[in-house]
Amino acid sequence: MKVFNNWLETLKQIVRDNPKKIAISLIISSVVIGILFFLVSYSRTAIRQNQIEALVYPQILSDKLVPLPYDQESEKIKKNRCYFGIICQTFQSRFPGNIAHFRKTRQ
């Protein structure tokens, strides 16, 4: 406990002696941390986009299948709700009793 109090008193003395220096240091460190956070979040997106372009796009050999741009995928999927309808129609043709049960439980 004595070591903790001694350390705390030393810290208080440093802050009392140099309040302007401490404030400037806190502001600069906050800006640096903010910039680093932004760079990490941006680089993760860029890395993911490069991975998809390098691994997925070369494997698409069809001329009829056009891949979505990475930054537009979420918007395109939200706008086009027909994907679920296609899956349901396929599922219904194979298992008609299951779709009727699904509709009953959904209501």
Side-chain angles (χ1 to χ4, degrees):
M1 200 66 178
K2 190 174 186 177
V3 174
F4 180 73
N5 287 337
N6 202 9
W7 176 80
L8 193 58
E9 288 300 321
T10 306
L11 185 63
K12 286 179 182 178
Q13 185 65 33
I14 291 171
V15 172
R16 270 186 250 136
D17 292 346
N18 304 313
K20 194 173 185 179
K21 222 182 232 188
I22 298 293
I24 291 172
S25 298
L26 286 174
I27 291 171
I28 289 173
S29 62
S30 298
V31 169
V32 168
I33 289 172
I35 290 172
L36 288 175
F37 181 76
F38 173 76
L39 289 176
V40 166
S41 65
Y42 175 75
S43 66
R44 287 184 63 173
T45 304
I47 289 170
R48 175 64 63 192
Q49 182 175 0
N50 289 336
Q51 284 177 336
I52 289 174
E53 288 175 359
L55 298 174
V56 175
Y57 292 169
Q59 294 180 2
I60 299 174
L61 303 175
S62 173
D63 294 336
K64 296 178 182 178
L65 187 63
V66 180
L68 293 172
Y70 183 76
D71 56 343
Q72 297 174 2
E73 290 173 348
S74 296
E75 296 169 14
K76 186 80 169 176
I77 291 171
K78 285 179 185 175
K79 287 180 184 176
N80 298 333
R81 294 287 180 178
C82 66
Y83 301 118
F84 183 71
I86 292 171
I87 293 169
C88 281
Q89 288 172 359
T90 306
F91 189 71
Q92 186 177 10
S93 64
R94 291 185 185 163
F95 309 102
N98 290 346
I99 292 295
H101 175 70
F102 176 72
R103 286 186 179 149
K104 285 179 189 175
T105 57
R106 194 132 185 220
Q107 293 173 353

